[in-house]
Amino acid sequence: AQRVTQPEKLLSVFKGAPVELKCNYSYSGSPELFWYVQYSRQRLQLLLRHISRESIKGFTADLNKGETSFHLKKPFAQEEDSAMYYCALSTITSGTYKYIFGTGTRLKVLA
Amino acid sequence: DGGITQSPKYLFRKEGQNVTLSCEQNLNHDAMYWYRQDPGQGLRLIYYSQIVNDFQKGDIAEGYSVSREKKESFPLTVTSAQKNPTAFYLCASRPPDRLIKGYTFGSGTRLTVV
């Protein structure tokens, strides 16, 4: 079965504390994973993709095929990081690409 | 500036009424998608289209219909058969270099049944 699991609906941390948003996936093919972020009153936008090991706004995510995980991490949370975060798995069936999204994690960074 | 425009931003529907949500893009993307966003359920795929005049059902297509007569436009009709239509609806398009750019999303339409 193709599935993306984000176990935490809400994650509250204090400013300056480390953050880890969990994402686990189930997929028989070669996984292509993304993190999207939705700030208040803004549209959903791409944050990170697994193919490029980059740091965006201080966030990083490593694909761990052994643990089937793609957790999002930031060493020091900022108040402006408060948003809804979605993990997405890109799947291909009969030549068609589709995303499977997790249920999302709302991150609240407290002052 | 290229992007996706969804209209209206807010839409109210009476019981038994069909309504159509607009999605227009000027990005020249072939593939377009409609998602429904509900609290605690993430984004669920309603319909998608890989090319003009072709579209496929997603995971929750019942009670919805679409058309793709032009590359730029992918309207979604919420019919009276949709039992629980109150939700936030997102339209997206996929660029050829999807692994680099990801999908582009519209700003959404919030539909409420009154």
Side-chain angles (χ1 to χ4, degrees):
Chain A
Q2 301 170 348
R3 189 171 55 246
V4 175
T5 303
Q6 292 181 252
E8 304 126 336
K9 283 189 177 179
L10 173 65
L11 187 63
S12 296
V13 300
F14 284 102
K15 178 181 171 181
V19 171
E20 183 178 53
L21 285 75
K22 291 185 166 49
C23 172
N24 287 90
Y25 66 91
S26 173
Y27 186 52
S28 56
S30 184
E32 297 173 351
L33 287 145
F34 302 80
W35 276 99
Y36 280 81
V37 59
Q38 191 172 31
Y39 300 103
S40 180
R41 293 183 173 75
Q42 293 188 30
R43 59 186 72 196
L44 199 61
Q45 56 188 280
L46 178 67
L47 178 63
L48 281 176
R49 55 228 166 188
H50 86 280
I51 59 163
S52 46
R53 299 179 65 114
E54 57 197 343
S55 173
I56 303 289
K57 299 184 178 182
F59 284 99
T60 59
D62 288 322
L63 177 59
N64 186 324
K65 291 186 180 180
E67 296 184 357
T68 59
S69 69
F70 189 56
H71 303 328
L72 183 67
K73 299 177 183 179
K74 185 169 183 177
F76 308 103
Q78 302 299 314
E79 288 181 76
E80 56 265 30
D81 296 329
S82 295
M84 194 74 183
Y85 291 81
Y86 290 98
C87 184
L89 169 69
S90 179
T91 65
I92 179 168
T93 308
S94 302
T96 300
Y97 288 102
K98 292 185 288 182
Y99 273 160
I100 295 175
F101 284 92
T103 50
T105 297
R106 181 167 297 283
L107 174 65
K108 284 191 177 179
V109 181
L110 309 169
Chain B
D1 232 355
I4 293 185
T5 302
Q6 288 187 243
S7 61
K9 197 168 184 175
Y10 299 96
L11 188 56
F12 297 90
R13 191 194 92 169
K14 293 182 181 178
E15 295 279 354
Q17 203 177 40
N18 291 358
V19 290
T20 297
L21 284 59
S22 170
C23 177
E24 303 279 329
Q25 55 108 349
N26 60 1
L27 299 164
N28 201 34
H29 292 169
D30 285 314
M32 297 185 74
Y33 304 78
W34 273 106
Y35 291 91
R36 173 178 167 142
Q37 189 178 24
D38 295 282
Q41 297 198 55
L43 280 74
R44 293 180 291 167
L45 183 63
I46 305 172
Y47 265 99
Y48 59 99
S49 169
Q50 299 298 299
I51 200 166
V52 174
N53 293 323
D54 182 65
F55 48 83
Q56 309 292 329
K57 291 182 179 181
D59 302 315
I60 55 165
E62 186 175 348
Y64 299 98
S65 66
V66 293
S67 63
R68 187 85 186 277
E69 297 175 4
K70 298 186 300 182
K71 190 174 189 176
E72 301 79 19
S73 179
F74 190 40
L76 173 74
T77 296
V78 184
T79 74
S80 56
Q82 170 49 235
K83 298 305 177 192
N84 184 23
T86 294
F88 191 60
Y89 292 86
L90 283 173
C91 180
S93 69
R94 189 190 82 226
D97 51 348
R98 61 184 181 85
L99 288 178
I100 305 297
K101 293 184 179 176
Y103 289 19
T104 300
F105 285 84
S107 55
T109 293
R110 185 166 299 282
L111 173 63
T112 305
V113 174
V114 296

